[in-house]
Amino acid sequence: MFYSLITPCLPSELQQLHALKENLTLQTMQDFEWLIACNQPIDLSQPEWQAPFPIHQITFTPATVGAARNQAIQQATGDWLLFIDSDDYLLPNALADAAAIAATRSSDVLLDLNQYPTYEPHDAFVTSHAETGVADDMPKWGGRKRLRPKRHALNLATNAVLPTDTPVDPTVMTWLQHRYLEHSGDNRWAGLDRQLKVSGKIANRKLILAHQLKFNETNDLYPDGPFMLPLLNVTTSTLRLSQHTYIRVKHNDPINHPSVHQQDDPRRWAKRIQDWQTALVTLPNDSDGFNAYATRDLHRLHRYLYAAVATRTGTVPAEQLPELLHTLQAFLNVIPASLIKQTLHGQSRRIILAIRRDGRLPQRQVNRIVWMRELNRIIHRHGRGSAKLAYRWWLTKLPLKPKTILYESFLGRNYSDSPKAIYEYMQRTYPGQFHHVWVMNKGVEPNPGKQPNTTVVKRFGWRYMYYLATSKFQVINMRQPKWFIKRPETKFLSTWHGTPLKHLVFDMDNVASANPLYKQIFYHQSRQWDNLIAANQFSVDVFEHAFMYPTDRMLKSGYPRNDLLNAPDKDAKARAIKEKLGIPLDKKIILYAPTWRDDDYYGVGDYKFTLKLDIARLRRELGDDYVLVLRTHYFITEHLDTTGFGDFVYNESSYNDISELYLISDVLITDYSSVFFDYAILKRPILYFVYDYEKYGSVLRGFYLNMETDLPGPLLKTNDDVLAALHDLPALKREYADAYHKFSERFNAWEDGHASQRVVDAFFGDALPAPTNKTK
């Protein structure tokens, strides 16, 4: 058995081809040729393209995936054709298992390598699989249940289930050794969605040529239907390997590197329906395949189309609606009315039949069905989501409040950061001129609810939705909800929450630990920001590529939250904060602020953290002169036990404003947290306790800085190193004086104590009255 592997490729995907070539060299069976359909010149004589199997380049016109596959089919020489995309991955046993199964069956079967979808990048999966070598345990990635391990039965040796002297039919023996599921007979058309996916499918080449099966060359988004549906019709069964052997790597950056199906195309619905029609007309309209496929398409119209064309939720541009309705009417007229009536019911049936009859869209009925679905969802959730529905459907239609400002810091967890600094500046400078609304979770203290002209609302509550919809200004330091609606007359200020050390958004390769479409979501959220605050030129440069945010909309001001660190009365404020916390005024303070490790968790929402800093030793050697203030990530605040250290340790992980902890401390110990950028404004010693530096730097996430050369303090990997540095801080300050100066010039040149004023003047602009109080 000889395979022809067919891979369509865009010019932007050439690098992925090299990774796929390395993957294919690991196949335990090498009886195949690889046909790369790509119009970009490839020099296959170069060393990086040498392989133990022949590689051929195919060019094609028009420049569509359908044309690429069709041309490759015509030039293939293999007995069987396998369709594999450029960024996907085969387990080493994939081709051998399929060949063993095909050897016992006729040529009119379709083999399925069993797709496993994941958003992990190719290199992450290869590394993981190479380390484990376990084919029966898939990595815990892919879709909504990506954090749940996916387990499959082991392929037992034949003699483990049968006596060695028992004669066994070859087909049975193949099944025992390779395991597969068969769709044939009455269940031939079951699981149609899975069977219609071309990637990972293996079909007999002569069968394809004999029936002149072709992909659609004019539909650039959906070319597969007129090839896959008739292929299923002319094959007697689909044999799907029970073990996943084809890893389909889904694109996690639809903005810069979209897959074909992720491309932003206003004609998407029309092209999708055109694909359905070109596929459906390849079959007799009374066949089982025709009925199964038409029923599937009608269910998809029922489930997805109405929201796409509804007045308030619609995603189909108004100018595209006539074409869509024309295409949809033509498709529906291919389907007998009796099948439509049998498949759909009630309002949905009436909508589809109206479109089939005269090509009109019953807009009121469509709006009603979408509205009822929203309402039913809320009823089934016992009212949960009603406030959000009210926000989307009604509250965003209310008049704006031109003097109302909404503030939120760290998702309502505290009263802090630059939103707090901006709010307090506005209160001092323009008292009584604005209505201030703070978003805060229940029980958060302190909160500004008793301050003049200030309202505190619970996040996601009814009042929150009201003010989110009607406030003229929003000042937020993280991201707004995905469903946030940016009204044209409003202004949104993202203060962000730190100078970046770790790679962000579009600079990250692997985002599987977050929402797999994190980059797409972030992109659309950040387009709603009217302005983004940058603390320094370094941040401007990083935000431009990491957020893809235009520099002319950044406020190059410094962080308002850092004005406190340059306040003329900062010493008096520090004394007051110490007294509030009960810290002796004669003790110096070590602030320990480690970051949370991305791999430090037991399960979803169940985080762990173990202090590697030897607190007992610190207390023993430094307790006469110092106290230790802990400030950990909010994920693990409740997982720390500091009992037993008496009055040496103050766990202030829940303290609202970390800037106030900077102000009272004499030395900072951190690791990979960006807190040191702000702390450096104080010109006080910074120690980096990086006991896991090699692992954290090379495996978890990359850094924008070279920590070996760019930091204003030493990298310390043991407790001995930390204690030695604390015992001789004057020498440390002298050693790092030059590095500290260069660091401050690079990152804190804009931090002069007046960032709040610059931000307010730039963002609020003409909405500002004459200042009531003069503020420095």
Side-chain angles (χ1 to χ4, degrees):
M1 179 175 179
F2 187 72
Y3 290 103
S4 291
L5 276 56
I6 294 176
T7 301
C9 178
L10 298 173
S12 61
E13 298 172 340
L14 284 176
Q15 281 302 112
Q16 296 170 183
L17 287 178
H18 289 293
L20 180 55
K21 191 215 78 172
E22 294 304 316
N23 168 231
L24 294 178
T25 61
L26 301 176
Q27 286 297 304
T28 58
M29 174 186 178
Q30 293 286 322
D31 295 334
F32 62 86
E33 62 177 356
W34 186 23
L35 279 65
I36 302 172
C38 182
N39 288 332
Q40 183 81 5
I42 303 175
D43 187 355
L44 296 177
S45 66
Q46 292 300 310
E48 65 266 22
W49 286 106
Q50 303 312 300
F53 47 83
I55 303 176
H56 309 289
Q57 182 181 3
I58 311 297
T59 57
F60 54 92
T61 55
T64 63
V65 171
R69 290 188 178 131
N70 286 338
Q71 190 60 41
I73 290 171
Q74 294 301 315
Q75 298 191 34
T77 61
D79 306 303
W80 295 79
L81 306 181
L82 165 62
F83 300 94
I84 178 170
D85 290 337
S86 62
D87 52 357
D88 291 346
Y89 176 90
L90 295 181
L91 263 62
N93 60 305
L95 297 182
D97 282 356
I101 296 169
T104 64
R105 307 299 293 260
S106 61
S107 62
D108 61 350
V109 298
L110 180 65
L111 298 170
D112 182 351
L113 295 181
N114 197 345
Q115 282 191 14
Y116 186 87
T118 177
Y119 282 94
E120 287 282 351
H122 183 273
D123 55 350
F125 181 82
V126 171
T127 301
S128 174
H129 188 261
E131 289 175 352
T132 62
V134 179
D136 297 282
D137 272 327
M138 283 291 102
K140 51 186 180 182
W141 307 315
R144 289 183 299 111
K145 300 178 181 178
R146 64 187 181 278
L147 295 175
R148 212 177 281 178
K150 195 137 185 154
R151 302 188 180 280
H152 305 274
L154 291 169
N155 293 324
L156 300 175
T158 307
N159 59 12
V161 292
L162 287 173
T164 55
D165 58 349
T166 302
V168 181
D169 181 272
T171 302
V172 176
M173 182 67 73
T174 299
W175 186 89
L176 287 169
Q177 292 175 333
H178 303 284
R179 304 290 184 86
Y180 57 86
L181 304 173
E182 183 168 2
H183 288 281
S184 61
D186 292 340
N187 72 345
R188 180 70 183 91
W189 299 99
L192 195 54
D193 283 344
R194 178 191 289 269
Q195 295 189 66
L196 287 167
K197 291 181 173 66
V198 68
S199 300
K201 298 296 193 301
I202 301 175
N204 186 273
R205 181 174 65 90
K206 291 182 179 178
L207 183 72
I208 291 172
L209 295 176
H211 289 87
Q212 299 181 343
L213 303 183
K214 288 188 175 182
F215 292 89
N216 191 330
E217 296 189 353
T218 61
N219 194 327
D220 57 337
L221 295 187
Y222 301 101
D224 299 347
F227 178 86
M228 287 303 299
L229 185 61
L231 177 60
L232 290 172
N233 194 53
V234 299
T235 53
T236 58
S237 61
T238 299
L239 309 178
R240 187 175 83 245
L241 296 180
S242 61
Q243 174 195 313
H244 293 292
T245 60
Y246 185 101
I247 311 304
R248 183 165 66 95
V249 180
K250 301 167 77 174
H251 292 210
N252 67 26
D253 186 358
I255 304 302
N256 295 306
H257 305 291
S259 66
V260 171
H261 290 173
Q262 291 172 334
Q263 292 175 11
D264 188 10
D265 191 328
R267 300 181 61 238
R268 176 172 297 279
W269 262 105
K271 292 179 179 181
R272 180 185 287 120
I273 294 169
Q274 180 200 54
D275 175 53
W276 295 350
Q277 182 175 350
T278 55
L280 203 54
V281 296
T282 63
L283 302 186
N285 65 4
D286 58 348
S287 65
D288 291 341
F290 181 99
N291 290 336
Y293 189 78
T295 300
R296 163 193 176 270
D297 296 344
L298 289 171
H299 282 308
R300 288 188 165 218
L301 290 174
H302 169 78
R303 184 173 182 182
Y304 302 114
L305 176 67
Y306 306 136
V309 296
T311 302
R312 298 191 182 185
T313 61
T315 55
V316 177
E319 62 272 16
Q320 296 298 329
L321 197 53
E323 181 196 5
L324 171 59
L325 291 174
H326 177 76
T327 306
L328 182 54
Q329 183 183 24
F331 165 68
L332 292 173
N333 274 286
V334 175
I335 304 173
S338 58
L339 182 57
I340 296 175
K341 293 177 182 178
Q342 177 185 332
T343 304
L344 302 176
H345 304 281
Q347 191 92 281
S348 187
R349 177 198 287 180
R350 289 190 288 273
I351 292 171
I352 293 300
L353 288 176
I355 297 173
R356 183 181 188 271
R357 185 174 56 253
D358 53 25
R360 67 178 178 86
L361 180 68
Q363 191 69 64
R364 291 180 64 182
Q365 294 180 4
V366 167
N367 292 344
R368 190 179 302 119
I369 203 171
V370 171
W371 186 85
M372 289 302 298
R373 285 177 177 177
E374 296 273 8
L375 188 60
N376 286 333
R377 189 176 297 117
I378 290 171
I379 293 172
H380 283 104
R381 294 177 177 177
H382 306 287
R384 190 162 55 90
S386 55
K388 183 168 73 174
L389 181 64
Y391 168 81
R392 290 172 49 214
W393 284 71
W394 298 299
L395 297 179
T396 51
K397 307 302 183 292
L398 294 175
L400 285 176
K401 296 180 176 297
K403 292 292 186 178
T404 297
I405 309 168
L406 181 115
Y407 305 85
E408 182 182 288
S409 178
F410 296 112
L411 309 179
R413 283 191 296 269
N414 49 41
Y415 170 60
S416 65
D417 208 66
S418 291
K420 173 187 174 182
I422 293 170
Y423 163 75
E424 293 186 345
Y425 176 86
M426 294 290 285
Q427 285 282 50
R428 291 193 307 270
T429 312
Y430 305 101
Q433 301 296 312
F434 290 89
H435 178 208
H436 306 277
V437 180
W438 263 95
V439 179
M440 308 202 78
N441 297 336
K442 186 177 180 180
V444 171
E445 292 292 341
N447 78 58
K450 295 182 180 180
Q451 298 299 315
N453 306 302
T454 302
T455 301
V456 173
V457 298
K458 179 183 176 184
R459 195 166 190 255
F460 297 157
W462 281 89
R463 292 200 303 160
Y464 166 85
M465 297 296 180
Y466 172 75
Y467 284 114
L468 186 67
T470 61
S471 58
K472 168 75 173 180
F473 304 98
Q474 293 101 24
V475 178
I476 297 179
N477 76 340
M478 291 186 71
R479 290 186 291 150
Q480 68 275 30
K482 287 189 293 183
W483 40 262
F484 172 77
I485 298 171
K486 177 67 165 64
R487 300 178 66 176
E489 307 87 356
T490 62
K491 292 191 70 176
F492 190 103
L493 173 63
S494 172
T495 70
W496 202 239
H497 47 270
T499 296
L501 173 62
K502 305 163 197 170
H503 286 177
L504 298 172
V505 197
F506 292 104
D507 291 341
M508 297 168 62
D509 292 326
N510 188 350
V511 298
S513 61
N515 186 312
L517 294 179
Y518 168 64
K519 293 181 181 180
Q520 181 184 50
I521 294 168
F522 191 101
Y523 180 82
H524 290 300
Q525 288 174 316
S526 59
R527 297 318 95 175
Q528 296 174 323
W529 302 347
D530 291 281
N531 295 110
L532 166 66
I533 293 178
N536 42 59
Q537 187 59 46
F538 172 81
S539 294
V540 171
D541 298 338
V542 169
F543 291 158
E544 183 179 18
H545 53 78
F547 294 170
M548 294 179 60
Y549 195 83
T551 58
D552 61 353
R553 288 167 57 188
M554 296 184 201
L555 302 184
K556 303 165 187 178
S557 58
Y559 277 136
R561 70 186 185 191
N562 290 333
D563 288 349
L564 172 71
L565 306 181
N566 278 307
D569 59 346
K570 65 181 180 182
D571 293 336
K573 289 183 177 180
R575 181 184 182 94
I577 296 167
K578 282 186 179 182
E579 291 175 345
K580 180 174 68 173
L581 296 177
I583 297 175
L585 298 179
D586 61 341
K587 292 289 185 74
K588 294 180 181 179
I589 296 176
I590 302 168
L591 175 61
Y592 182 39
T595 192
W596 168 67
R597 270 63 172 166
D598 291 32
D599 61 347
D600 236 1
Y601 63 92
Y602 297 109
V604 179
D606 186 10
Y607 303 100
K608 61 183 177 180
F609 183 78
T610 304
L611 283 174
K612 299 298 190 295
L613 191 65
D614 191 340
I615 297 178
R617 185 176 171 190
L618 284 175
R619 181 188 184 192
R620 194 165 55 247
E621 297 188 25
L622 299 170
D624 291 341
D625 300 311
Y626 286 90
V627 296
L628 180 70
V629 171
L630 286 177
R631 173 68 178 218
T632 59
H633 195 284
Y634 67 89
F635 279 170
I636 43 88
T637 297
E638 298 176 359
H639 296 255
L640 288 176
D641 182 8
T642 57
T643 59
F645 296 107
D647 57 1
F648 178 70
V649 175
Y650 293 78
N651 186 357
E652 301 300 337
S653 298
S654 299
Y655 193 82
N656 265 274
D657 195 342
I658 193 173
S659 296
E660 295 186 357
L661 300 182
Y662 299 155
L663 199 61
I664 65 173
S665 62
D666 297 278
V667 57
L668 169 68
I669 302 177
T670 186
D671 43 27
Y672 318 107
S673 171
S674 62
V675 296
F676 63 85
F677 288 105
D678 295 346
Y679 190 82
I681 296 169
L682 295 168
K683 305 294 193 296
R684 298 171 187 171
I686 303 173
L687 311 180
Y688 298 87
F689 183 36
V690 288
Y691 52 86
D692 55 355
Y693 176 70
E694 285 77 13
K695 173 187 175 183
Y696 200 86
S698 61
V699 177
L700 297 185
R701 298 166 80 177
F703 298 136
Y704 288 116
L705 296 187
N706 183 335
M707 294 191 71
E708 300 282 353
T709 59
D710 295 341
L711 301 185
L715 299 180
L716 310 173
K717 298 182 180 179
T718 68
N719 277 281
D720 286 343
D721 296 336
V722 172
L723 265 296
L726 289 172
H727 277 300
D728 198 0
L729 288 177
L732 185 75
K733 291 180 71 173
R734 290 192 297 271
E735 180 181 354
Y736 283 89
D738 186 55
Y740 214 126
H741 176 74
K742 291 179 180 178
F743 184 89
S744 295
E745 286 292 309
R746 183 180 182 187
F747 296 106
N748 293 323
W750 300 349
E751 303 287 7
D752 59 0
H754 300 286
S756 296
Q757 180 180 350
R758 286 191 291 271
V759 168
V760 166
D761 290 347
F763 178 69
F764 292 95
D766 294 340
L768 296 174
T772 304
N773 296 328
K774 292 184 178 181
T775 304
K776 291 185 178 181

